[in-house]
Amino acid sequence: MNETLSPLLAQTPALMLSGVAGLALGAVFFGGLWWTLRKSLESRRPALWLLGSLLVRMSLVLVGLYLVSGGQWERLLAGLAGVIGARFLVLRLTGPSDVAKEARHAPDSR
C-alpha cells in the first residue's frame, strides 16, 4: 500500500504549484475577459477589442499551461483545475450581471 502512494506523495508539491499557476493563468484569462467586455462597451470598434483580447488571452493560457505541465499529464490536469477554479473566483468577485447592467443602451429588437 505504501509503495503505491509514494509516487503520488512525491509529486504533490509539483501538482500544487501547477494548480496555483493554473489559478493565476485563469485569473488573467477571465479577468482579462471581464475587462475586455467593459472596454468594448465604450469602444467604437468592439469586435477588434474582443478578437485581440481572445488571441492574447488564449495564447497566454496555452503557453502557460504547456510550460507548467512539463510534459506530464498530471500537472496539466492540476493546471486546468486551477483555471476552472479561477473562473469561479472571478465570477464571484465581478458578479455575472455587471456587464449586462451596463449594456442596457443596446437597441431593442422589437
Side-chain angles (χ1 to χ4, degrees), residues 14-83:
L15 292 176
M16 288 176 59
L17 286 174
S18 298
V20 170
L23 194 65
L25 288 169
V28 168
F29 183 87
F30 292 108
L33 175 60
W34 175 77
W35 181 80
T36 301
L37 289 175
R38 293 180 60 88
K39 194 75 169 166
S40 68
L41 289 174
E42 304 165 0
S43 175
R44 294 181 60 187
R45 296 185 178 152
L48 187 60
W49 274 101
L50 293 170
L51 181 62
S53 171
L54 174 69
L55 293 175
V56 169
R57 289 180 295 113
M58 286 297 292
S59 298
L60 284 173
V61 170
L62 289 175
V63 169
L65 285 175
Y66 174 77
L67 294 174
V68 163
S69 73
Q72 297 178 4
W73 68 268
E74 297 93 347
R75 289 169 54 181
L76 178 63
L77 194 61
L80 285 173
V83 170

Side-chain angles (χ1 to χ4, degrees), residues 5 31 49 79 91 103 110:
L5 289 179
W49 274 101
L91 257 178
R110 290 183 257 166

